[in-house]
Amino acid sequence: MATNEGTPESPLTWTGGRAAATGAVVLAGVVLGVVGDLLLREPDGLGLNLAAWIAAVAVAALVLQYRLGSGHDRGRVGWLVAGALFGAALMWRDAPFLKLLTLTVATMSFALAAHRLTTAWIRRAGVTHYAGALALGALHAWMAGVIVLVDVMRVTPPFAVGAASSWRRGLAFVRGLAIALPVLGLFGLLFMSADAVFARMVADAFRFDLEQVISHVIVFSVLTWIGTGYLRGFLYGTDIAWVGPLPNESVLFGLLARRPALGRTEIAMVLGSLNLLFLLFVAIQFRYLFGGATLVQISPNLTYADYARRGFFELVTAVALVVPLLLAMDWLRSGAAGLFRALAGAQVVLVLAVAASAFERLRLYYSVYGLTEARFYAMALLAWIAVMLVWLALTVLRDRRDRFAVGALLTACASVALFFVINPDAFIARANLARLTSTDATVRFDVAYATTLSADAVPVLVQALPTLPADVQCRLARHMLRRWSPGQVSSIRSWNWSAAHARDAVRTHAAQLQAAVGPSRECATDDGSTPP
């Protein structure tokens, strides 16, 4: 296996040999499967259980690396620790989408740690190399089980002459077991027919739930397979060694190095025409892009929802085309640096103009209909896209392309970490409650949407309950008593801080919540709904 400059020694040359490494990986994978089955089979939710299993994978990888003497790369350890910390955040917040984001970042961190035996490549890699590392990491985690089986067969020594006696003893044991089982079964059936008590005792001893056994087998097998695959990838690297004129690069890097080149004419035609199109679009729809509430009020058949949706998806579509296009044009260009910088810079300015319009539209949408999880993350996405456009201008357009991808990666990780500090569901609840102080009589609190928020929002809603209308208090209190009642049995495996804090808040204010619901537990209906 070819290694890069500065890469720790390959596991193939470890003192213990390949057999020791393979045996350790298989054993660790089985342990991860057992632990995962105990934690994740039939969970009430994802919290402590998944966080503990992610941490177990990281610990297993580091222990194997240390015990097998493959050396250490601090960058790999750092990315593993980062992945474990993001996994541990599952014990903090309860919002499902936030959990999905943190799982994504944890998976990405683990994949980067396993790609090569050193992380020096991360600082200079491009977007395509990151994508390749993530794809190879996922493929290795799912397919490396086959490779491990091949490793086991390759390192298992043939039966030597000196081991013939042990082999004969093992074969004799198997023969004896094959003869004893039918005999025991025959006499056991006779005794069961002769005595009802004996029959009941035997039946109780061998009674088991087939469905439960199958669920154990499936969960154990899947997690063992994934765990074993990842550990092998971490120890050996998931990158594919390049065999040929580029010994220090991967196959992916080698193939991408043989790319076609675009000259001044192609760059001018592609980016020049695209700039003209964007400029025409912004000029024609300038009033629409920055019209705000006045435009909605005077335009027939134009609702706030349409106004906000179109602005947002125009931005997403533009960025989905423009940012990869600019990166690809910079990667493919041959010279023409000044022309590219001028045309790409104009493109960035035009996309930022669309971003400003989208921010205004979503702000207007919130002022009329309130804040939802989708709108919160849409605004966050817009902010991150704007940062990426500025970062692209500071790096790619200044011939510092190698810094763009790592900046995008770190800002994405930092954004997800910031979400845990902000607590989106609590932020949404506070924002919607704050709208009630408006003098606009049409502003209402959407209790139907409030009941869909996670445990993160419960303490905020409980504290604000006395300030809400009676019918809203009743419906909200009834929901919290049903969903977050302290008496509900919850497995420790799915524990997280927000859910525990929500139950504490409901327990503390139980009398107030019961009074809001009333003895009949029937609340006035409210058919008001939140637009999508």
Side-chain angles (χ1 to χ4, degrees):
M1 178 177 177
T3 59
N4 299 315
E5 183 179 355
T7 300
E9 187 178 4
S10 169
L12 297 179
T13 62
W14 293 345
T15 304
R18 194 182 187 102
T22 301
V25 167
V26 172
L27 178 60
V30 171
V31 172
L32 289 176
V34 173
V35 172
D37 177 64
L38 294 174
L39 292 173
L40 297 171
R41 192 180 60 85
E42 299 179 358
D44 298 325
L46 299 179
L48 174 63
N49 47 7
L50 187 53
W53 193 76
I54 291 173
V57 174
V59 170
L62 293 176
V63 169
L64 286 177
Q65 185 185 53
Y66 174 76
R67 295 291 295 176
L68 295 174
S70 65
H72 289 282
D73 179 81
R74 286 182 296 179
R76 302 181 80 205
V77 174
W79 281 107
L80 269 183
V81 171
L85 288 176
F86 274 102
L90 293 169
M91 297 187 293
W92 187 2
R93 300 300 183 198
D94 190 56
F97 187 74
L98 194 53
K99 289 183 178 181
L100 177 62
L101 287 178
T102 195
L103 280 177
T104 302
V105 175
T107 302
M108 178 178 62
S109 299
F110 274 41
L112 294 178
H115 186 56
R116 291 185 177 180
L117 301 185
T118 176
T119 53
W121 67 275
I122 293 179
R123 294 189 295 271
R124 58 184 177 86
V127 175
T128 52
H129 201 172
Y130 281 154
L134 297 179
L136 288 172
L139 180 65
H140 205 90
W142 282 103
M143 297 302 297
V146 177
I147 305 175
V148 172
L149 293 178
V150 174
D151 289 343
V152 170
M153 290 186 291
R154 289 176 60 187
V155 302
T156 301
F159 293 106
V161 176
S165 59
S166 298
W167 170 246
R168 282 195 296 269
R169 285 195 297 270
L171 187 60
F173 175 80
V174 173
R175 285 198 304 267
L177 186 64
I179 296 171
L181 286 178
V183 174
L184 289 175
L186 174 62
F187 283 95
L189 289 175
L190 291 175
F191 290 152
M192 290 173 66
S193 299
D195 187 86
V197 175
F198 181 81
R200 185 166 57 252
M201 291 177 60
V202 173
D204 291 340
F206 288 94
R207 181 179 291 117
F208 58 88
D209 188 342
L210 181 61
E211 182 178 349
Q212 187 177 34
V213 171
I214 292 175
S215 69
H216 275 290
V217 171
I218 291 176
V219 174
F220 166 78
S221 301
V222 171
L223 295 179
T224 298
W225 186 271
I226 296 175
T228 302
Y230 179 78
L231 293 178
R232 189 194 186 281
F234 183 80
L235 294 178
Y236 291 86
T238 60
D239 200 6
I240 306 173
W242 174 258
V243 179
L246 297 173
N248 291 328
E249 297 295 350
S250 65
V251 170
L252 179 64
F253 239 34
L255 292 176
L256 294 178
R258 303 179 181 182
R259 59 186 181 270
L262 299 181
R264 178 179 296 270
T265 302
E266 295 94 332
I267 292 175
M269 290 181 64
V270 175
L271 293 185
S273 59
L274 190 62
N275 280 345
L276 289 176
L277 177 62
F278 266 71
L279 183 61
L280 179 63
F281 173 79
V282 173
I284 291 177
Q285 299 199 12
F286 186 86
R287 180 164 171 260
Y288 167 71
L289 289 173
F290 299 98
T294 303
L295 177 62
V296 176
Q297 294 168 3
I298 66 175
S299 300
N301 302 321
L302 180 62
T303 66
Y304 286 104
D306 291 336
Y307 182 72
R309 282 199 198 103
R310 292 191 63 182
F312 175 66
F313 286 110
E314 283 165 1
L315 171 67
V316 172
T317 303
V319 172
L321 295 173
V322 170
V323 172
L325 178 64
L326 292 178
L327 292 174
M329 294 295 291
D330 178 65
W331 179 56
L332 292 171
R333 68 180 176 85
S334 176
L339 177 64
F340 173 78
R341 281 197 292 266
L343 295 176
Q347 190 80 93
V348 169
V349 172
L350 291 170
V351 176
L352 286 175
V354 181
S357 170
F359 269 115
E360 172 61 21
R361 293 169 190 228
L362 286 178
R363 187 200 62 78
L364 180 63
Y365 201 23
Y366 153 69
S367 66
V368 176
Y369 292 118
L371 191 61
T372 65
E373 187 179 38
R375 294 164 203 161
F376 173 86
Y377 285 110
M379 287 185 175
L381 177 61
L382 288 173
W384 184 73
I385 287 172
V387 171
M388 285 301 96
L389 288 169
V390 174
W391 181 241
L392 185 145
L394 294 175
T395 55
V396 176
L397 301 189
R398 298 177 63 192
D399 292 329
R400 297 175 181 175
R401 178 188 175 86
D402 58 337
R403 301 184 183 182
F404 175 79
V406 68
L409 173 66
L410 294 178
T411 54
C413 294
S415 298
V416 176
L418 184 60
F419 289 153
F420 278 89
V421 177
I422 293 175
N423 192 357
D425 280 18
F427 182 88
I428 291 167
R430 291 191 191 96
N432 290 336
L433 289 167
R435 294 176 64 245
L436 296 178
T437 60
S438 172
T439 56
D440 188 350
T442 62
V443 173
R444 305 181 65 188
F445 182 77
D446 191 346
V447 64
Y449 180 76
T451 59
T452 67
L453 295 174
S454 67
D456 299 333
V458 170
V460 174
L461 296 173
V462 169
Q463 292 292 338
L465 196 67
T467 65
L468 299 175
D471 60 327
V472 173
Q473 287 189 41
C474 181
R475 296 179 62 193
L476 200 55
R478 183 175 61 182
H479 165 74
M480 287 189 286
L481 287 171
R482 288 177 177 175
R483 178 66 183 86
W484 304 109
S485 173
Q488 291 182 348
V489 178
S490 180
S491 173
I492 187 63
R493 295 179 299 177
S494 59
W495 182 91
N496 68 67
W497 182 85
S498 285
H501 194 42
R503 290 190 173 90
D504 288 341
V506 171
R507 180 189 298 109
T508 302
H509 298 83
Q512 176 187 345
L513 295 172
Q514 292 288 357
V517 173
S520 66
R521 287 187 174 268
E522 294 182 0
C523 303
T525 59
D526 181 7
D527 295 328
S529 60
T530 301

Coordinates of all heavy atoms in Angstrom, one line a residue, residues 94 423 425-426 429 450 453-464 476 479-480 483-484 498-499 501-506 513:
D94 N -33.0 18.1 21.5 CA -34.0 17.0 21.1 C -34.6 17.2 19.8 O -35.3 16.3 19.3 CB -35.1 17.1 22.2 CG -36.1 15.9 22.1 OD1 -35.6 14.7 22.1 OD2 -37.3 16.1 21.9
N423 N -30.1 26.8 20.1 CA -31.3 26.0 20.5 C -32.5 26.5 19.6 O -33.4 27.3 20.0 CB -31.7 26.2 21.9 CG -32.7 25.2 22.3 OD1 -33.3 24.4 21.5 ND2 -33.1 25.2 23.6
D425 N -35.4 25.4 18.4 CA -36.8 25.2 18.8 C -37.2 26.2 19.9 O -38.3 26.8 19.8 CB -37.1 23.8 19.2 CG -37.3 22.9 18.0 OD1 -36.9 23.3 16.9 OD2 -37.9 21.8 18.2
A426 N -36.3 26.4 20.8 CA -36.5 27.4 21.9 C -36.5 28.8 21.3 O -37.3 29.7 21.6 CB -35.5 27.3 23.0
A429 N -39.8 29.4 19.5 CA -40.9 29.6 20.5 C -40.9 31.0 21.0 O -41.9 31.7 21.1 CB -40.8 28.6 21.6
A450 N -46.9 25.0 17.7 CA -46.1 25.0 18.9 C -46.1 23.6 19.5 O -45.1 23.2 20.1 CB -46.7 26.0 20.0
L453 N -43.2 21.3 18.2 CA -41.8 21.6 18.6 C -41.3 20.5 19.6 O -42.1 19.9 20.3 CB -41.7 23.0 19.2 CG -42.0 24.1 18.3 CD1 -42.0 25.4 19.1 CD2 -41.0 24.2 17.1
S454 N -40.0 20.3 19.6 CA -39.4 19.3 20.4 C -39.3 19.7 21.9 O -39.8 20.8 22.3 CB -38.0 19.0 19.9 OG -37.2 20.1 20.1
A455 N -38.7 18.9 22.7 CA -38.5 19.2 24.1 C -37.7 20.4 24.3 O -37.8 21.0 25.4 CB -37.9 18.0 24.8
D456 N -36.9 20.8 23.3 CA -36.1 22.0 23.5 C -36.9 23.3 23.8 O -36.5 24.2 24.5 CB -35.3 22.3 22.2 CG -34.3 21.1 21.9 OD1 -33.9 20.4 22.9 OD2 -34.0 20.9 20.7
A457 N -38.2 23.3 23.3 CA -39.0 24.5 23.5 C -39.9 24.4 24.7 O -40.5 25.4 25.0 CB -39.9 24.6 22.2
V458 N -40.0 23.3 25.4 CA -41.0 23.1 26.4 C -40.8 24.1 27.6 O -41.7 24.8 28.1 CB -41.0 21.7 26.9 CG1 -41.8 21.5 28.2 CG2 -41.6 20.8 25.9
P459 N -39.5 24.3 28.1 CA -39.4 25.3 29.2 C -39.8 26.7 28.8 O -40.4 27.4 29.7 CB -37.9 25.2 29.5 CG -37.5 23.9 29.0 CD -38.3 23.6 27.8
V460 N -39.6 27.1 27.6 CA -40.0 28.4 27.2 C -41.5 28.5 27.1 O -42.1 29.5 27.6 CB -39.4 28.7 25.8 CG1 -39.9 30.1 25.2 CG2 -37.9 28.8 25.8
L461 N -42.2 27.5 26.6 CA -43.6 27.5 26.5 C -44.3 27.5 27.9 O -45.3 28.1 28.1 CB -44.1 26.4 25.6 CG -43.6 26.4 24.2 CD1 -44.0 25.1 23.4 CD2 -44.3 27.6 23.5
V462 N -43.7 26.7 28.8 CA -44.3 26.6 30.1 C -44.2 27.9 30.9 O -45.2 28.4 31.5 CB -43.5 25.5 30.9 CG1 -43.9 25.6 32.4 CG2 -43.9 24.1 30.4
Q463 N -43.1 28.6 30.7 CA -42.9 29.9 31.4 C -43.9 31.0 30.8 O -44.4 31.8 31.6 CB -41.5 30.4 31.2 CG -40.4 29.6 32.0 CD -40.6 29.7 33.5 OE1 -41.1 30.7 34.0 NE2 -40.1 28.7 34.3
A464 N -44.1 30.9 29.5 CA -45.0 31.9 28.9 C -46.5 31.6 28.9 O -47.3 32.4 28.5 CB -44.6 32.1 27.4
L476 N -52.2 23.9 24.8 CA -50.8 23.7 25.0 C -50.5 23.0 26.3 O -49.6 22.1 26.3 CB -50.1 25.1 25.1 CG -48.6 25.2 24.8 CD1 -48.3 24.6 23.4 CD2 -48.2 26.7 24.9
H479 N -51.2 19.2 25.7 CA -50.2 18.6 25.0 C -49.0 18.3 25.8 O -48.4 17.2 25.8 CB -49.8 19.5 23.8 CG -48.5 19.0 23.1 ND1 -48.4 17.9 22.3 CD2 -47.2 19.6 23.2 CE1 -47.1 17.8 21.9 NE2 -46.4 18.8 22.4
M480 N -48.5 19.2 26.6 CA -47.3 19.0 27.4 C -47.6 18.0 28.5 O -46.6 17.2 28.8 CB -46.9 20.4 28.0 CG -46.3 21.3 27.0 SD -45.5 22.8 27.7 CE -47.0 23.7 28.1
R483 N -47.4 14.6 26.5 CA -46.2 14.3 25.8 C -45.0 14.2 26.8 O -44.1 13.4 26.7 CB -45.9 15.3 24.7 CG -44.5 15.1 24.0 CD -44.6 13.8 23.2 NE -43.3 13.5 22.6 CZ -42.2 12.9 23.2 NH1 -42.3 12.5 24.4 NH2 -41.1 12.7 22.5
W484 N -45.0 15.1 27.8 CA -43.8 15.3 28.7 C -44.2 15.0 30.1 O -43.5 15.6 31.0 CB -43.2 16.6 28.5 CG -42.8 16.9 27.1 CD1 -43.4 17.8 26.2 CD2 -41.8 16.3 26.3 NE1 -42.8 17.8 25.0 CE2 -41.8 16.8 25.0 CE3 -40.8 15.3 26.6 CZ2 -40.9 16.4 24.0 CZ3 -40.0 14.9 25.6 CH2 -40.0 15.5 24.3
S498 N -32.4 17.8 27.0 CA -33.6 18.6 26.8 C -34.8 17.9 27.2 O -35.8 18.5 27.8 CB -33.6 18.9 25.3 OG -32.7 19.9 25.0
A499 N -34.9 16.6 26.9 CA -36.1 15.8 27.3 C -36.3 15.8 28.8 O -37.3 15.9 29.4 CB -36.1 14.4 26.7
H501 N -35.0 17.9 30.9 CA -35.4 19.3 31.4 C -36.8 19.6 31.1 O -37.5 20.3 31.9 CB -34.5 20.3 30.6 CG -34.5 21.7 31.2 ND1 -34.4 21.9 32.6 CD2 -34.5 22.9 30.6 CE1 -34.4 23.2 32.8 NE2 -34.5 23.8 31.7
A502 N -37.4 19.1 30.0 CA -38.8 19.3 29.7 C -39.7 18.6 30.7 O -40.7 19.2 31.2 CB -39.1 18.8 28.3
R503 N -39.3 17.4 31.1 CA -40.1 16.7 32.1 C -40.0 17.4 33.5 O -41.0 17.4 34.2 CB -39.7 15.3 32.2 CG -40.0 14.4 30.9 CD -39.8 13.0 31.1 NE -40.3 12.2 30.0 CZ -39.6 11.9 28.9 NH1 -38.4 12.3 28.8 NH2 -40.2 11.3 27.9
D504 N -38.8 17.9 33.8 CA -38.7 18.7 35.1 C -39.6 19.9 35.1 O -40.2 20.2 36.1 CB -37.2 19.0 35.3 CG -36.4 17.9 35.6 OD1 -36.9 16.8 36.0 OD2 -35.1 18.0 35.4
A505 N -39.6 20.6 33.9 CA -40.4 21.8 33.8 C -41.9 21.5 34.0 O -42.7 22.2 34.7 CB -40.2 22.5 32.5
V506 N -42.3 20.4 33.3 CA -43.8 20.0 33.5 C -44.1 19.5 34.9 O -45.1 19.8 35.4 CB -44.1 18.9 32.4 CG1 -45.5 18.3 32.7 CG2 -44.0 19.4 31.0
L513 N -50.4 23.7 34.9 CA -50.9 23.0 33.7 C -52.2 22.3 33.9 O -53.1 22.4 33.0 CB -49.8 22.0 33.2 CG -48.5 22.6 32.8 CD1 -47.4 21.5 32.6 CD2 -48.6 23.5 31.6

